[in-house]
Amino acid sequence: MHPNNDNNDFSLFRIFTLQNRSTMAKVKNLIIKGSDDKPIALDIFFNETHEQQPVIIYAHGFNGFKDWGNFDLIAEQFLASGFTFVKFNFSHNGTTPDTPEDFTDLEGFGENNYTKQLYDLGLVIDWVQHPANSLRYGIDKERIGLVGHSMGGGICILKTAEDSRIKALVTWAAIGACKTPWGGWSKEKMMEWKQSGVAYYTNSRTRQEMPLHYQLYEDYLLHDKQLDIPKAAATLPIPWLLCHGTEDTTVPVKVAYQFAAANPKATLLTVSSDHVFGRKHPWNPLEQPIPMQEVINKNILFFKQHL
């Protein structure tokens, strides 16, 4: 069961870190309730001058989290360019508020699905706009943009199609179907998954065996119309910037070309790079890889034009 929005107490936050740089500030790991009452850890970067600014909300991908690849560096660039920036961990992404960069909640990971992620993203947008949000003074609630990477890109496409509060969309290497990671599995492996109730795959970075409960597939079958990314993508009525690496082996660039061809509101940006635009985790340099910086620059210009 998903919790009712009214159960969230937006006035109570668990604040881990507050840093000020002149009028710029960031608050890390605020907690709001997500799907099935599991916590969503959330970061906000904002200007303390009380000037309301457009807000950008970032949704991470499969096996990702809000701090992957030192994402604070990206958030700070958006902040310096005149935006409030929010990033969060999906409630069932396998991390916890105490371990936001490690997959320590494998049971939660196994219970993740696409409708829970859609619900979580809606809750974050609710938090951004809620009158009891003590940090809302820096947010122009009428100017909300989304950025989503990979699976998070697919979720952002679906959410944008159903939520008129979103005024501009950017996707990075967005998936073309809600079938991660089983889309290429054989019939035999799918049958084994159904019979055992759980399948495992190896996280290439951590080498963990990550569980996927069969409910993931059952949830997709139950909500296949709601989770139809190509249909949602073709009908998006707002400006959309598609960013994709031409050397992406995880989500082929042809997916982005198909999206762009189907929607006249979409603009395609391709860069010579991989699925993560040259980044990795952990990321220690203070500069982004050239492909990632190119994407960031174009994103900022896009949002300045459309928000």
Side-chain angles (χ1 to χ4, degrees):
M1 293 291 293
H2 299 322
N4 187 289
N5 288 18
D6 293 337
N7 291 337
N8 273 321
D9 184 350
F10 292 97
S11 63
L12 297 177
F13 299 125
R14 185 178 175 193
I15 300 179
F16 282 45
T17 306
L18 176 61
Q19 293 185 359
N20 294 296
R21 295 180 182 176
S22 183
T23 62
M24 298 181 183
K26 64 180 178 181
V27 183
K28 298 278 289 183
N29 292 315
L30 308 177
I31 304 301
I32 65 174
K33 287 182 181 179
S35 297
D36 299 334
D37 284 343
K38 289 182 71 67
I40 293 172
L42 178 152
D43 301 343
I44 182 170
F45 293 66
F46 61 101
N47 192 308
E48 289 190 309
T49 62
H50 294 209
E51 177 185 354
Q52 291 189 337
Q53 297 177 301
V55 59
I56 310 301
I57 300 172
Y58 171 75
H60 65 75
F62 186 68
N63 269 344
F65 40 86
K66 64 181 175 62
D67 295 310
W68 193 93
N70 194 359
F71 211 94
D72 282 11
L73 294 177
I74 296 176
E76 288 168 357
Q77 289 196 51
F78 277 89
L79 174 59
S81 299
F83 298 96
T84 294
F85 195 91
V86 172
K87 55 191 176 77
F88 68 98
N89 285 339
F90 285 107
S91 61
H92 289 70
N93 78 330
T95 67
T96 71
D98 293 325
T99 58
E101 297 188 40
D102 297 300
F103 296 117
T104 57
D105 181 16
L106 296 185
E107 181 62 26
F109 184 93
E111 289 298 320
N112 199 7
N113 60 48
Y114 290 94
T115 58
K116 286 178 179 176
Q117 292 177 340
L118 271 174
Y119 186 76
D120 285 347
L121 180 52
L123 290 176
V124 173
I125 298 172
D126 291 346
W127 174 83
V128 162
Q129 293 193 323
H130 202 282
N133 179 352
S134 61
L135 298 176
R136 196 172 65 86
Y137 59 78
I139 297 171
D140 183 341
K141 68 177 184 178
E142 301 301 325
R143 293 190 288 170
I144 296 175
L146 296 184
V147 176
H149 176 238
S150 193
M151 186 170 67
I155 293 298
C156 286
I157 292 170
L158 294 172
K159 177 55 67 176
T160 301
E162 67 180 28
D163 195 327
S164 62
R165 295 177 295 179
I166 302 160
K167 304 306 181 184
L169 171 67
V170 169
T171 54
W172 299 353
I175 58 173
C178 290
K179 296 182 179 181
T180 302
W182 78 82
W185 290 1
S186 66
K187 291 183 178 180
E188 291 76 16
K189 186 168 183 177
M190 292 295 292
M191 184 58 65
E192 291 175 4
W193 191 19
K194 181 177 181 179
Q195 291 173 347
S196 67
V198 62
Y200 294 88
Y201 83 99
T202 303
N203 182 309
S204 60
R205 180 178 63 85
T206 68
R207 310 310 302 171
Q208 290 171 281
E209 293 297 314
M210 310 295 286
L212 299 165
H213 297 171
Y214 193 67
Q215 63 80 32
L216 172 62
Y217 182 60
E218 292 176 318
D219 182 77
Y220 170 75
L221 295 178
L222 187 62
H223 301 98
D224 60 329
K225 292 183 179 178
Q226 181 188 14
L227 299 177
D228 188 338
I229 294 177
K231 181 179 179 180
T235 59
L236 294 183
I238 64 170
W240 176 16
L241 177 63
L242 293 127
C243 306
H244 216 109
T246 57
E247 300 161 33
D248 190 338
T249 58
T250 303
V251 180
V253 70
K254 68 178 182 180
V255 174
Y257 280 107
Q258 291 166 353
F259 283 151
N263 190 316
K265 293 283 188 178
T267 300
L268 178 61
L269 169 67
T270 60
V271 294
S272 180
S273 192
D274 56 13
H275 187 61
V276 291
F277 305 105
R279 295 182 300 141
K280 63 180 181 178
H281 186 84
W283 184 261
N284 297 317
L286 296 179
E287 299 83 23
Q288 295 292 338
I290 292 174
M292 185 74 262
Q293 190 59 57
E294 180 180 352
V295 169
I296 294 168
N297 293 346
K298 293 295 178 61
N299 284 194
I300 289 171
L301 290 174
F302 172 81
F303 283 126
K304 281 187 174 293
Q305 181 180 358
H306 295 293
L307 285 182

